[in-house]
Amino acid sequence: MTDIIDQANDYAEKEREIAIANRIPFTLDAGKPGDCDFCGEWFGRLVDGACVPCRDKYQPRGGRS
């Protein structure tokens, strides 16, 4: 006989499995080496023409679009 805690644990485990199955995989933006459009320094990986420090500095606080 199962008690309420066992039932809650079973429910939580099923919800966790559903959440894992439906998650969107993480992908990195494609980058290329070159001079940053903002600071002019050379970097091994630019995304949309910007290096990591410039993307962090000039990116709007809403997150990636």
Side-chain angles (χ1 to χ4, degrees):
M1 183 170 171
T2 61
D3 62 3
I4 190 99
I5 296 188
D6 290 332
Q7 293 171 357
N9 285 336
D10 292 342
Y11 176 79
E13 182 62 26
K14 287 177 188 173
E15 289 295 315
R16 180 181 169 275
E17 289 172 3
I18 291 170
I20 290 172
N22 293 332
R23 70 184 169 105
I24 299 172
F26 175 77
T27 57
L28 277 177
D29 297 332
K32 61 180 183 176
D35 293 328
C36 177
D37 293 341
F38 295 95
C39 67
E41 295 291 323
W42 189 91
F43 284 87
R45 183 172 182 269
L46 301 174
V47 176
D48 295 329
C51 64
V52 172
C54 288
R55 285 197 311 269
D56 290 343
K57 184 175 181 180
Y58 298 114
Q59 175 181 355
R61 288 291 157 198
R64 286 193 169 146
S65 54

